[in-house]
Amino acid sequence: MILGLIGIIVAILLLMNPMEGTIALIILLGISLMIYSIQSLYLIFCISRFVKDYDEDHIIEAKWKTIDK
């Protein structure tokens, strides 16, 4: 939501002053990419911690049996 509001402000700035608006748009793109990267790293950290902490007792051993009709 915050990035949407910032995008509207940048769009207005682009209409008023294209050169400064272009710089603001590049900054917005850089901030968006940094936020996305931080979210991805956090997700990788959470998943790897879950996999590491996952107990092997949850694995169910099963034997297959054929049933004759």
Side-chain angles (χ1 to χ4, degrees):
M1 183 173 154
I2 294 173
L3 289 177
L5 293 174
I6 293 173
I8 291 172
I9 293 170
V10 170
I12 293 170
L13 186 61
L14 275 171
L15 290 173
M16 296 172 73
N17 191 351
M19 286 303 176
E20 288 183 22
T22 305
I23 293 170
L25 188 61
I26 291 171
I27 291 171
L28 175 65
L29 179 64
I31 291 170
S32 299
L33 287 172
M34 283 192 284
I35 291 172
Y36 175 76
S37 299
I38 291 169
Q39 286 177 340
S40 295
L41 288 173
Y42 179 72
L43 180 64
I44 290 169
F45 173 74
C46 289
I47 290 173
S48 64
R49 188 174 61 180
F50 174 76
V51 169
K52 188 187 304 180
D53 293 342
Y54 189 75
D55 202 10
E56 290 187 14
D57 293 337
H58 292 96
I59 299 174
I60 299 172
E61 293 291 329
K63 293 184 181 180
W64 291 95
K65 230 194 296 190
T66 57
I67 300 175
D68 295 328
K69 291 185 179 183

